[in-house]
Amino acid sequence: MRDTKKHRKVLIVSASIGTGHTQAARAIEEYWMQQSPDTEITHVDFLATDTLSFDNLLKETYIKMIDVFPMMYDLVYRFSQGERKGGMIQTVLSWLLKRRMLRLIRQESPDVVIFTHPFPCGAACILKRQNLIDVPLIGVITDFAVHQFWVYPQLDAYYVGTEVMVDELVKAGIDCSKIHVTGIPVRRHFFDKAIAQYALTKPVRVLVMGGGLGLGSLESALQRLDEVAAIDEFTVVTGRNTSLYEALLDMKERMQTPVRVYGYTTDIPELMAEAALLVTKPGALTCMEAVTVGIPMVFFNAIPGQEEANALLLEQKGCARWARDIHNLEDVVTALLINPERLQNMSQQARAWHVDGAANIVSSVEAMLSAKCTFETIGDLQENTPQG
């Protein structure tokens, strides 16, 4: 008889295109280890490979397209969003990556595989369709809109951020019973730094971020925000973009407002908690981290497609304002900083909405695995029961 409380082996697969997918994976891993230390969890960045590999070329091309050619990204996004066109691109990417995915799954022999990025997910779904693997596959969507790249009938479960995404997946042909609204997973440190009661106090610090890769018009944004008299100090995070970091170190000497410049840092929860306002690109993971802390947000330079959907949702929730044109950024920020009551309300709306996505996902997966083990145990008993 199998033990339904057996030692779990969990494989979490992310992809280092931006930091959101990886941070979401770490949030799940972190919470699971706190709750169940005996669980064996392996977290793999599927695109962390040698410089000359196809996978790394794919990642670097994707990142450069977003950073340097946003209009090209817009065209690719909209071209691939349709079922027929998106399915064609899905198939190409999945077949190119499936051999290494098969090697990984055979090597790890997990009880379940959890994906936070659609590229490796697609490769695993091809393998399952071909009956080369039979392990449960789970997709965690780290945006607030569903892209065609995530639509795979071979996935056993979807974890999504909003009810609207359930409708989007059902319209794409996914069985409703597979879809669970859990929220996007956020690391524990952000919960530890949640603001109990927001208040606009002196000095007024504004945190400016461009995503974990430091993409976006940060220099232009800072130049405009430097004209806002209500700001006493900037904290700027450039992520892993070392050239931007160096440029901002030079630029801050010419600014009238004091600036602290950080590269990649793990202190984001503390920086959010001490700031009056976050000005950022609307990556979904950054948004949910800010929602968890309870800091009001202003969005700029949204990437067409997913980030525009993120910005619209957060604005509708009352947690943020979206400066759709960067030329209006200083006006949007000024209007908020001279209205402390509105900032306080935005903070309250954020804290009222946030959910513990990692906890919800881990609880659901554990229940799924326990049910699977129980079903297999019943099957074993039936096979071993003498007949007649």
Side-chain angles (χ1 to χ4, degrees):
M1 179 186 296
R2 288 186 177 90
D3 181 3
T4 58
K5 298 287 187 182
K6 73 171 188 172
H7 175 74
R8 307 277 193 217
K9 289 191 68 177
V10 177
L11 175 60
I12 303 175
V13 184
S14 62
S16 53
I17 296 178
T19 61
H21 310 288
T22 304
Q23 290 300 318
R26 287 175 178 164
I28 298 169
E29 177 185 14
E30 185 179 76
Y31 181 83
W32 210 323
M33 290 305 298
Q34 283 185 3
Q35 300 301 308
S36 182
D38 292 337
T39 302
E40 182 181 341
I41 300 178
T42 302
H43 174 202
V44 174
D45 176 359
F46 201 66
L47 296 187
T49 56
D50 296 335
T51 304
L52 295 180
S53 72
F54 165 79
D55 303 7
N56 203 56
L57 177 62
L58 173 68
K59 179 179 70 174
E60 294 302 321
T61 301
Y62 182 93
I63 291 170
K64 283 298 181 185
M65 182 169 61
I66 295 172
D67 191 23
V68 183
F69 305 112
M71 292 307 294
M72 183 186 297
Y73 177 84
D74 188 15
L75 291 173
V76 171
Y77 179 90
R78 297 179 193 283
F79 176 83
S80 63
Q81 183 65 308
E83 180 178 352
R84 182 177 178 182
K85 298 169 183 176
M88 178 179 64
I89 297 176
Q90 270 180 298
T91 301
V92 171
L93 290 172
S94 299
W95 278 85
L96 287 169
L97 299 175
K98 74 166 191 167
R99 183 184 301 177
R100 192 153 60 87
M101 177 56 68
L102 179 60
R103 190 162 59 243
L104 174 64
I105 291 177
R106 285 179 173 172
Q107 173 186 311
E108 297 296 330
S109 188
D111 294 302
V112 62
V113 188
I114 301 172
F115 298 94
T116 62
H117 195 281
F119 290 175
C121 177
C125 288
I126 290 284
L127 296 173
K128 194 163 192 175
R129 192 176 73 197
Q130 296 177 330
N131 296 316
L132 294 173
I133 60 172
D134 64 358
V135 61
L137 305 178
I138 291 171
V140 177
I141 302 181
T142 59
D143 277 294
F144 293 114
V146 177
H147 192 278
Q148 174 65 30
F149 286 163
W150 271 113
V151 179
Y152 291 101
Q154 291 80 19
L155 279 175
D156 295 272
Y158 281 89
Y159 295 118
V160 301
T162 67
E163 292 286 350
V164 172
M165 297 173 71
V166 177
D167 296 335
E168 292 176 1
L169 283 168
V170 169
K171 287 178 181 177
I174 301 301
D175 187 336
C176 183
S177 66
K178 292 183 177 183
I179 311 166
H180 310 273
V181 182
T182 58
I184 295 174
V186 171
R187 300 187 71 176
R188 311 320 298 170
H189 201 177
F190 290 92
F191 288 90
D192 297 338
K193 293 299 178 180
I195 299 168
Q197 183 65 41
Y198 179 91
L200 184 63
T201 57
K202 289 285 190 177
V204 175
R205 294 189 178 95
V206 171
L207 175 60
V208 184
M209 297 173 59
L213 292 162
L215 306 180
S217 306
L218 271 181
E219 292 168 276
S220 177
L222 270 181
Q223 288 172 350
R224 295 183 176 282
L225 293 174
D226 197 30
E227 302 299 322
V228 179
I231 300 175
D232 297 315
E233 181 180 309
F234 291 109
T235 302
V236 186
V237 179
T238 65
R240 300 187 186 278
N241 190 329
T242 54
S243 60
L244 178 60
Y245 176 82
E246 296 294 335
L248 291 184
L249 287 180
D250 292 336
M251 178 181 168
K252 78 173 191 174
E253 303 300 327
R254 304 187 299 273
M255 293 179 61
Q256 56 189 3
T257 310
V259 184
R260 293 184 296 169
V261 183
Y262 291 81
Y264 180 79
T265 176
T266 59
D267 295 333
I268 299 299
E270 290 83 359
L271 297 178
M272 285 184 176
E274 70 178 25
L277 183 69
L278 170 63
V279 179
T280 183
K281 289 171 74 281
L285 210 288
T286 298
C287 291
M288 285 314 299
E289 290 169 346
V291 163
T292 302
V293 172
I295 179 175
M297 291 169 277
V298 171
F299 301 134
F300 73 101
N301 202 46
I303 295 174
Q306 298 290 78
E307 287 195 351
E308 288 182 343
N310 298 344
L312 183 60
L313 174 69
L314 271 292
E315 191 171 59
Q316 291 172 342
K317 289 285 187 181
C319 309
R321 286 290 310 280
W322 179 11
R324 290 162 173 78
D325 187 331
I326 197 169
H327 296 91
N328 298 329
L329 180 60
E330 61 268 43
D331 295 332
V332 173
V333 170
T334 298
L336 289 175
L337 292 178
I338 63 175
N339 191 340
E341 292 78 12
R342 183 167 187 181
L343 287 170
Q344 187 175 39
N345 183 63
M346 290 169 71
S347 176
Q348 289 172 347
Q349 293 296 327
R351 287 179 285 122
W353 180 50
H354 91 266
V355 293
D356 194 339
N360 292 336
I361 290 167
V362 170
S363 175
S364 179
V365 176
E366 284 278 19
M368 180 188 303
L369 292 177
S370 295
K372 181 175 183 289
C373 286
T374 300
F375 180 79
E376 290 174 349
T377 300
I378 293 172
D380 287 348
L381 286 172
Q382 290 174 339
E383 287 179 9
N384 296 324
T385 300
Q387 301 297 312

